[in-house]
Amino acid sequence: MQSEIGPIVDPAGWIRWNATTDPSKVTYGEYKNYGPGSDVSQRVKWAAYKPVMTDAEAAQYTVAAFITGADWLPATAVPNQLTLEPNPLS
């Protein structure tokens, strides 16, 4: 999410976790990535792959929502980003 993806990333983008993992059972998504490896036109065509997530879909995977980070991360003093921020290249 909102990451610079370099040219080292294979244009297909994703591989199965292992031979027994059904890719339709795992959500793979991308959100406002940028850089030479961020082109999603050649990515896998799995049903559960979302090459372009909406703001609302991506918000479900933020530190705040996905692991309720606001409840415990501040006490750790570990740097983090609890919410989505504007893409630096937008």
Side-chain angles (χ1 to χ4, degrees), residues 21-51:
T21 302
D22 178 353
S24 70
K25 305 289 184 194
V26 178
T27 299
Y28 294 83
E30 298 192 45
Y31 178 74
K32 297 185 179 179
N33 293 326
Y34 55 94
S38 67
D39 180 2
V40 298
S41 64
Q42 295 180 50
R43 296 288 199 258
V44 295
K45 305 297 183 213
W46 299 333
Y49 171 61
K50 294 184 166 285

Side-chain angles (χ1 to χ4, degrees), residues 18-87:
N18 60 49
T20 61
T21 302
D22 178 353
S24 70
K25 305 289 184 194
V26 178
T27 299
Y28 294 83
E30 298 192 45
Y31 178 74
K32 297 185 179 179
N33 293 326
Y34 55 94
S38 67
D39 180 2
V40 298
S41 64
Q42 295 180 50
R43 296 288 199 258
V44 295
K45 305 297 183 213
W46 299 333
Y49 171 61
K50 294 184 166 285
V52 180
M53 298 176 87
T54 66
D55 292 345
E57 289 169 328
Q60 296 175 60
Y61 298 98
T62 61
V63 171
F66 194 66
I67 60 171
T68 58
D71 293 347
W72 60 276
L73 275 173
T76 68
V78 173
N80 66 83
Q81 180 181 323
L82 290 169
T83 59
L84 299 175
E85 294 182 4
N87 184 319

